[in-house]
Amino acid sequence: MFLAACHVGAAEFFVAPDGDDEAAGTRAAPFASIQRAQRAVAPGDTVVIRGGIYRMRPARIAREERIFAYVTLLDRSGEPGRPIRYRAAPGETPVFDFTDVRPPGRRVHAFRVTGSWLHLEGFEVIGVQVTITGHTQSIGFDNQGSHNVYERLSVHDGMAIGFWIGTGSHNLVLNCDAYRNHDDFSGDRRGGNTDGFGFHGPRGSVGNVFRGCRAWFNSDDGFDFINAGEAAVAEDCWAFYNGFSPRFAPLADGNGFKAGGHAGTPVARLPNPIPRHVVRGSLAVRNKANGFYANHHIGGVDFIHNSAARNRANYNLLGREGDNRTLIPGRGHRLLNNLGFAGGTEVTQLDAAACEVRGNTWQLTEFPVAGDFLSLEEAELTRPRRADGGLPEVSFLRLRPGSRLVDRGVETGHPFRGAAPDPGASESIPAARD
Ligand code: CA
Ligand code: CA
């Protein structure tokens, strides 16, 4: 009854590639742009985005201020229980192509979201450009609001960071993909800022979660939480081939999960307390540098039930002293039930005596071998998502029944199968039906 009451009066508007912003915004006479649709909506309304290619035009940039060009600016909010939805028409794929949007001297933010209680679902962003040769970055989805959901979106084949939570609380990035993004224009052209997903919120930006997301072939990192003032969570996420071009030419940093760090931040400007990020149930495969990386973090990170394979170092816990910038083996980490296979190094820069370290494969007398896994076919990782947007079903890096690694983990409070938890992400990777 409550749900039904909430939908009374909710309106539906339509956007289509052959629409017209002077039209009524109905199914028969759709708008041409999300920007126009936003002027029509109220909390609880839905904007249905029809499939096809939307060629974004430089003349239609919503706002240019200082060094930024916000191409689509969503600054109108929904309300608790009455979000404004911008979603693809069922079974259709809208693709927003930003290739022609090249504002001189400005950073391109394809979608700038300052509103709250918004739900964006089911469309793609391609071709976002960088036009500045000095230190810069462009962004696919730039979140500055709260209680927003980004679902089943992708940012690919551009020069921008995919998804960026700059500030705001209780945002969820769900089942999104960021891939083949490389800024080959600015700086040294290695794309040192182009991450798949980033959380960099200041103090007060709490409760932000990345779930079911994939990042691959981004020129910098897959997931990056550097300089964050609060903790973020990455769970059931996959990061692979980051720091490489699609032909495996080495590019920039190349970490799967850069789970924190305060780089050169002076002691007086460090957040207090230092945030404790959580990375769990996640997969890092063949990233150029580290699979799971503490990145000079001060204090600990929770790394629980992750699987890493073929990274230069599968797990690198490098830390930093809290009262100066001296780099030290990491302290305060919780490393539970993590699996490493075929890394250049399995685990490094870990002060094990100052951490909780249990149930990880590097603590076993024998490391995992190929025969412990159902499949080592990395191509499975880019399979299409399931109908509900969830990660594809794979056999890759799942433990083979009867492997001596089965049930060798420790109980952490998370659900598991069999007599005990398995090390790695096996128990949270969707199983292939083969
Ligand atoms: Ca980065
Ligand atoms: Ca088990």
Side-chain angles (χ1 to χ4, degrees):
M1 288 300 288
F2 175 74
L3 279 175
C6 280
H7 283 89
V8 170
E12 210 170 42
F13 298 92
F14 290 81
V15 173
D18 60 354
D20 180 350
D21 279 349
E22 304 300 318
T26 60
R27 180 181 291 273
F31 295 133
S33 69
I34 289 178
Q35 197 65 50
R36 171 64 186 88
Q38 183 189 233
R39 296 202 338 247
V41 294
D45 290 350
T46 295
V47 175
V48 178
I49 308 165
R50 302 300 306 274
I53 306 284
Y54 296 76
R55 294 202 187 286
M56 307 304 283
R57 299 294 177 200
R60 304 295 294 277
I61 293 171
R63 183 179 298 170
E64 295 183 79
E65 62 182 29
R66 295 178 290 138
I67 58 166
F68 303 103
Y70 305 133
V71 186
T72 296
L73 175 61
L74 298 180
D75 55 0
R76 184 169 282 190
S77 295
E79 293 172 355
R82 304 185 74 213
I84 299 170
R85 298 175 191 278
Y86 297 89
R87 64 168 177 80
E92 301 183 12
T93 305
V95 178
F96 293 85
D97 183 348
F98 290 78
T99 306
D100 296 335
V101 182
R102 303 179 50 80
R106 289 205 163 91
R107 299 179 173 196
V108 178
H109 290 205
F111 284 83
R112 164 89 165 178
V113 181
T114 61
S116 296
W117 299 103
L118 304 180
H119 190 145
L120 282 59
E121 183 177 0
F123 49 95
E124 301 186 14
V125 166
I126 64 172
V128 183
Q129 302 290 301
V130 168
T131 67
I132 298 170
T133 53
H135 181 82
T136 189
Q137 63 189 24
S138 290
I139 302 179
F141 291 90
D142 167 22
N143 180 82
Q144 304 288 329
S146 294
H147 302 281
N148 294 321
V149 179
Y150 300 84
E151 182 173 4
R152 224 166 35 85
L153 305 167
S154 63
V155 178
H156 62 97
D157 296 290
M159 300 163 74
I161 295 164
F163 298 79
W164 169 278
I165 298 179
T167 190
S169 293
H170 304 294
N171 298 290
L172 172 63
V173 184
L174 176 65
N175 295 337
C176 292
D177 288 332
Y179 55 98
R180 293 193 305 259
N181 297 299
H182 173 199
D183 165 13
D184 61 356
F185 188 77
S186 76
D188 61 7
R189 304 188 174 204
R190 290 179 181 269
N193 279 336
T194 313
D195 300 320
F197 299 83
F199 169 71
H200 310 282
R203 285 281 285 158
S205 299
V206 301
N208 291 292
V209 175
F210 300 85
R211 180 182 302 140
C213 295
R214 294 185 294 189
W216 70 97
F217 285 133
N218 298 291
S219 55
D220 205 46
D221 305 305
F223 295 76
D224 191 337
F225 297 166
I226 193 172
N227 291 336
E230 298 282 357
V233 173
E235 56 189 10
D236 302 329
C237 290
W238 299 353
F240 47 105
Y241 305 158
N242 296 291
F244 289 116
S245 78
R247 306 181 80 168
F248 284 101
L251 295 174
D253 284 3
N255 299 288
F257 295 83
K258 182 182 277 183
H262 290 278
T265 306
V267 172
R269 299 218 323 262
L270 291 171
N272 183 16
I274 298 290
R276 186 175 188 90
H277 304 293
V278 176
V279 182
R280 63 183 167 223
S282 292
L283 205 59
V285 179
R286 199 181 174 186
N287 296 287
K288 192 189 86 171
N290 307 291
F292 296 89
Y293 183 36
N295 189 36
H296 316 183
H297 203 55
I298 303 162
V301 171
D302 283 3
F303 292 104
I304 299 175
H305 268 303
N306 300 297
S307 289
R310 296 186 73 200
N311 305 283
R312 187 190 302 155
N314 278 340
Y315 297 87
N316 182 338
L317 289 312
L318 183 64
R320 178 192 141 178
E321 295 271 17
D323 51 4
N324 59 56
R325 295 183 200 175
T326 305
L327 299 184
I328 55 171
R331 301 170 181 163
H333 299 293
R334 290 180 78 217
L335 291 155
L336 304 178
N337 297 346
N338 296 292
L339 180 148
F341 172 69
T345 303
E346 289 304 324
V347 61
T348 187
Q349 297 291 343
L350 170 63
D351 183 346
C355 297
E356 182 183 358
V357 185
R358 294 188 294 138
N360 306 288
T361 54
W362 65 79
Q363 299 177 273
L364 301 172
T365 50
E366 291 174 62
F367 283 178
V369 296
D372 287 313
F373 302 102
L374 286 172
S375 162
L376 292 175
E377 185 49 68
E378 293 170 9
E380 295 181 9
L381 297 174
T382 53
R383 280 181 179 170
R385 288 175 170 275
R386 291 175 288 164
D388 66 357
L391 291 165
E393 294 155 348
V394 298
S395 300
F396 175 75
L397 220 58
R398 294 177 62 84
L399 293 180
R400 184 184 296 280
S403 158
R404 73 216 148 79
L405 300 177
V406 168
D407 294 342
R408 294 294 296 276
V410 297
E411 293 204 26
T412 62
H414 293 274
F416 59 87
R417 288 190 288 268
D422 301 347
S426 259
E427 286 169 326
S428 55
I429 298 173
R433 291 198 195 89
D434 51 20

CSV table of all heavy atoms in Angstrom, one decimal, residues 161 191-197 200 219-226 252-255 258 295, ligand 1:
chain,number,residue,atom,x,y,z
A,161,ILE,N,38.0,9.3,-16.4
A,161,ILE,CA,37.7,8.4,-15.2
A,161,ILE,C,36.3,8.0,-15.4
A,161,ILE,O,35.4,8.7,-15.8
A,161,ILE,CB,37.9,9.2,-13.9
A,161,ILE,CG1,39.4,9.6,-13.7
A,161,ILE,CG2,37.4,8.4,-12.7
A,161,ILE,CD1,39.6,10.7,-12.7
A,191,GLY,N,48.2,8.5,-19.2
A,191,GLY,CA,46.9,8.4,-18.6
A,191,GLY,C,46.9,8.2,-17.1
A,191,GLY,O,46.1,7.3,-16.5
A,192,GLY,N,47.8,8.9,-16.4
A,192,GLY,CA,48.0,8.7,-14.9
A,192,GLY,C,46.8,9.0,-14.0
A,192,GLY,O,46.9,8.8,-12.8
A,193,ASN,N,45.8,9.6,-14.5
A,193,ASN,CA,44.6,9.9,-13.7
A,193,ASN,C,43.4,9.0,-14.0
A,193,ASN,O,42.3,9.1,-13.4
A,193,ASN,CB,44.2,11.3,-13.7
A,193,ASN,CG,45.1,12.2,-12.8
A,193,ASN,OD1,45.6,11.7,-11.8
A,193,ASN,ND2,45.2,13.5,-13.1
A,194,THR,N,43.5,8.3,-15.1
A,194,THR,CA,42.3,7.6,-15.6
A,194,THR,C,42.0,6.3,-14.9
A,194,THR,O,42.5,5.2,-15.4
A,194,THR,CB,42.4,7.4,-17.2
A,194,THR,OG1,42.9,8.6,-17.7
A,194,THR,CG2,41.1,7.0,-17.8
A,195,ASP,N,41.3,6.4,-13.8
A,195,ASP,CA,40.9,5.2,-13.1
A,195,ASP,C,39.5,4.7,-13.6
A,195,ASP,O,38.7,5.5,-14.1
A,195,ASP,CB,40.8,5.5,-11.6
A,195,ASP,CG,42.1,6.0,-11.0
A,195,ASP,OD1,43.2,5.4,-11.4
A,195,ASP,OD2,42.1,6.9,-10.1
A,196,GLY,N,39.2,3.5,-13.3
A,196,GLY,CA,37.8,3.0,-13.6
A,196,GLY,C,36.8,3.7,-12.6
A,196,GLY,O,35.8,4.3,-13.0
A,197,PHE,N,37.1,3.5,-11.3
A,197,PHE,CA,36.2,4.0,-10.2
A,197,PHE,C,37.0,4.7,-9.2
A,197,PHE,O,38.1,4.2,-8.8
A,197,PHE,CB,35.5,2.8,-9.6
A,197,PHE,CG,34.6,2.0,-10.6
A,197,PHE,CD1,35.2,1.0,-11.4
A,197,PHE,CD2,33.2,2.2,-10.6
A,197,PHE,CE1,34.4,0.3,-12.3
A,197,PHE,CE2,32.5,1.5,-11.5
A,197,PHE,CZ,33.0,0.6,-12.4
A,200,HIS,N,36.8,9.7,-3.4
A,200,HIS,CA,37.8,10.7,-2.8
A,200,HIS,C,37.0,11.7,-2.0
A,200,HIS,O,37.4,12.8,-1.9
A,200,HIS,CB,38.5,11.3,-4.0
A,200,HIS,CG,39.1,10.4,-4.9
A,200,HIS,ND1,40.3,9.7,-4.7
A,200,HIS,CD2,38.7,10.0,-6.2
A,200,HIS,CE1,40.5,8.9,-5.8
A,200,HIS,NE2,39.5,9.0,-6.7
A,219,SER,N,43.8,3.1,-17.9
A,219,SER,CA,45.3,3.4,-18.0
A,219,SER,C,45.9,3.6,-16.6
A,219,SER,O,47.1,3.4,-16.4
A,219,SER,CB,45.6,4.6,-18.9
A,219,SER,OG,44.8,5.7,-18.4
A,220,ASP,N,45.1,4.0,-15.6
A,220,ASP,CA,45.7,4.1,-14.3
A,220,ASP,C,45.2,2.9,-13.4
A,220,ASP,O,45.6,1.8,-13.7
A,220,ASP,CB,45.4,5.5,-13.6
A,220,ASP,CG,46.4,5.8,-12.6
A,220,ASP,OD1,47.7,5.7,-12.9
A,220,ASP,OD2,46.1,6.3,-11.5
A,221,ASP,N,44.4,3.1,-12.4
A,221,ASP,CA,43.9,2.1,-11.5
A,221,ASP,C,42.5,1.6,-11.8
A,221,ASP,O,41.7,2.3,-12.4
A,221,ASP,CB,44.0,2.5,-10.1
A,221,ASP,CG,45.4,3.1,-9.7
A,221,ASP,OD1,46.4,2.3,-9.9
A,221,ASP,OD2,45.5,4.2,-9.3
A,222,GLY,N,42.2,0.4,-11.3
A,222,GLY,CA,40.8,-0.1,-11.5
A,222,GLY,C,39.9,0.7,-10.5
A,222,GLY,O,38.9,1.4,-10.9
A,223,PHE,N,40.2,0.6,-9.2
A,223,PHE,CA,39.5,1.3,-8.1
A,223,PHE,C,40.5,2.1,-7.3
A,223,PHE,O,41.6,1.6,-7.0
A,223,PHE,CB,38.8,0.3,-7.2
A,223,PHE,CG,37.7,-0.5,-7.9
A,223,PHE,CD1,38.0,-1.5,-8.8
A,223,PHE,CD2,36.3,-0.2,-7.7
A,223,PHE,CE1,37.0,-2.2,-9.5
A,223,PHE,CE2,35.3,-0.9,-8.4
A,223,PHE,CZ,35.7,-1.9,-9.3
A,224,ASP,N,40.2,3.4,-7.0
A,224,ASP,CA,41.2,4.2,-6.3
A,224,ASP,C,40.5,5.0,-5.2
A,224,ASP,O,39.5,5.8,-5.5
A,224,ASP,CB,41.8,5.2,-7.4
A,224,ASP,CG,43.0,5.9,-6.8
A,224,ASP,OD1,43.1,6.0,-5.5
A,224,ASP,OD2,43.8,6.4,-7.6
A,225,PHE,N,40.9,4.8,-4.0
A,225,PHE,CA,40.4,5.5,-2.8
A,225,PHE,C,41.4,6.5,-2.2
A,225,PHE,O,41.3,6.8,-1.0
A,225,PHE,CB,39.9,4.6,-1.8
A,225,PHE,CG,38.8,3.6,-2.1
A,225,PHE,CD1,38.5,2.5,-1.4
A,225,PHE,CD2,38.0,3.8,-3.3
A,225,PHE,CE1,37.5,1.6,-1.7
A,225,PHE,CE2,37.0,3.0,-3.6
A,225,PHE,CZ,36.7,1.9,-2.8
A,226,ILE,N,42.3,7.0,-3.0
A,226,ILE,CA,43.4,7.8,-2.4
A,226,ILE,C,42.8,9.1,-1.9
A,226,ILE,O,41.8,9.7,-2.4
A,226,ILE,CB,44.5,8.1,-3.5
A,226,ILE,CG1,45.7,8.7,-2.8
A,226,ILE,CG2,44.0,9.0,-4.6
A,226,ILE,CD1,46.9,8.9,-3.8
A,252,ALA,N,50.0,3.7,-17.0
A,252,ALA,CA,50.3,4.4,-15.7
A,252,ALA,C,50.3,3.4,-14.5
A,252,ALA,O,50.9,2.3,-14.6
A,252,ALA,CB,49.3,5.5,-15.5
A,253,ASP,N,49.7,3.8,-13.4
A,253,ASP,CA,50.0,3.1,-12.1
A,253,ASP,C,49.6,1.6,-12.2
A,253,ASP,O,50.4,0.7,-11.8
A,253,ASP,CB,49.2,3.7,-10.9
A,253,ASP,CG,49.8,5.0,-10.5
A,253,ASP,OD1,50.9,5.4,-11.1
A,253,ASP,OD2,49.3,5.6,-9.5
A,254,GLY,N,48.4,1.3,-12.6
A,254,GLY,CA,48.0,-0.2,-12.8
A,254,GLY,C,47.8,-1.0,-11.5
A,254,GLY,O,48.3,-2.1,-11.4
A,255,ASN,N,47.1,-0.4,-10.5
A,255,ASN,CA,46.7,-1.2,-9.4
A,255,ASN,C,45.2,-1.7,-9.6
A,255,ASN,O,44.4,-0.9,-10.1
A,255,ASN,CB,46.8,-0.4,-8.1
A,255,ASN,CG,48.2,0.0,-7.8
A,255,ASN,OD1,49.1,-0.8,-7.5
A,255,ASN,ND2,48.5,1.3,-8.1
A,258,LYS,N,43.4,0.3,-5.3
A,258,LYS,CA,44.2,1.2,-4.5
A,258,LYS,C,43.4,1.7,-3.4
A,258,LYS,O,42.6,2.6,-3.5
A,258,LYS,CB,44.7,2.3,-5.4
A,258,LYS,CG,45.7,3.3,-4.7
A,258,LYS,CD,46.0,4.4,-5.7
A,258,LYS,CE,47.2,4.0,-6.6
A,258,LYS,NZ,47.6,5.2,-7.5
A,295,ASN,N,48.7,1.3,-0.7
A,295,ASN,CA,49.1,2.6,-1.2
A,295,ASN,C,49.5,3.6,-0.1
A,295,ASN,O,49.0,4.7,0.0
A,295,ASN,CB,47.9,3.2,-2.0
A,295,ASN,CG,48.3,4.5,-2.7
A,295,ASN,OD1,49.4,4.6,-3.2
A,295,ASN,ND2,47.4,5.5,-2.8
B,1,CA,CA,44.7,6.4,-9.8
